[in-house]
Amino acid sequence: MTSRTARRKRIIRVRTVEHQMAEANLARANGELASLVELAKRLETLRVDLAVAKGAVAGRALNSVGELAMRLDLAQEHLTAPLVSANARRDQLGALAQCAMAKEESAVRLYERGRKAAEQEQERRSDANRPHRARAMRLRLIEGGIA
C-alpha cells in the first residue's frame, strides 16, 4: 500500500466518524423535536378536555377551570418558540449529515480510484521487470506465393 493510499484510508476513517457523529446528532435532534411535539399534543388534549360541568357550578371551581385554561394556553404559546428552533436545528443537522455522507462517499470513491491506480501501476511495474521473450518470426506460406 502506497503512502497515498494509506493517507486516503485514514481520511475515510475520519469521514466515517464525522458521518456517524452527524447522524447521532440528527437522531438526537429528531428525538428532541418529537418530545416537544408530543408535549404540545398533550397540552392541546388537556385544553380540549377541560370543560365545565353543566348545571350549577361553584364560583371557585369555575375560577380554577378558567385559570387552568389560561395557564395551558400560556404554556402552549411558550412552546411554539422551542418547537420552531428544534425544527430549524433538525433541518440544519440534517443538512450537515447529508454533507458528511457526501464527503464520506467522495473519500471512498477517491480511495477506490487510487487503489485501482496503484494496482495497475504495480502490475505495469511487474510486467516491466519480466524478462523480454524474443518472438520467433514466422512466415506463412500460402499456395501460390509468400504472404
Side-chain angles (χ1 to χ4, degrees):
M1 181 182 302
T2 64
S3 62
R4 179 179 291 172
T5 309
R7 181 173 173 258
R8 288 178 177 169
K9 197 165 193 164
R10 285 191 303 271
I11 290 172
I12 287 175
R13 276 188 255 131
V14 169
R15 298 286 191 232
T16 302
V17 169
E18 287 175 352
H19 181 221
Q20 290 171 348
M21 288 174 53
E23 287 292 330
N25 288 338
L26 178 61
R28 192 174 309 116
N30 280 331
E32 289 172 3
L33 181 63
S35 71
L36 285 174
V37 167
E38 180 63 30
L39 182 61
K41 285 181 183 177
R42 278 191 290 174
L43 285 174
E44 182 65 30
T45 303
L46 283 174
R47 178 67 173 102
V48 168
D49 290 343
L50 194 63
V52 179
K54 293 183 179 180
V57 178
R60 284 187 175 175
L62 193 58
N63 191 20
S64 295
V65 168
E67 185 177 345
L68 186 57
M70 183 182 70
R71 287 184 182 195
L72 287 172
D73 290 340
L74 190 62
Q76 218 166 9
E77 274 182 40
H78 289 309
L79 194 60
T80 56
L83 269 171
V84 168
S85 68
N87 200 9
R89 180 170 163 75
R90 186 208 43 191
D91 293 343
Q92 178 187 17
L93 290 176
L96 287 175
Q98 287 286 335
C99 182
M101 183 179 69
K103 284 182 179 179
E104 179 186 11
E105 289 174 352
S106 173
V108 168
R109 283 193 306 269
L110 188 63
Y111 168 75
E112 288 298 324
R113 192 170 51 213
R115 187 181 57 76
K116 286 179 185 175
E119 286 175 0
Q120 289 173 350
E121 180 67 18
Q122 182 63 31
E123 187 176 322
R124 187 188 65 78
R125 285 183 180 191
S126 66
D127 285 346
N129 291 335
R130 194 174 298 149
H132 179 68
R133 288 184 283 162
R135 294 185 183 173
M137 290 186 70
R138 296 184 200 172
L139 292 176
R140 290 188 343 191
L141 294 176
I142 300 179
E143 286 183 33
I146 298 176

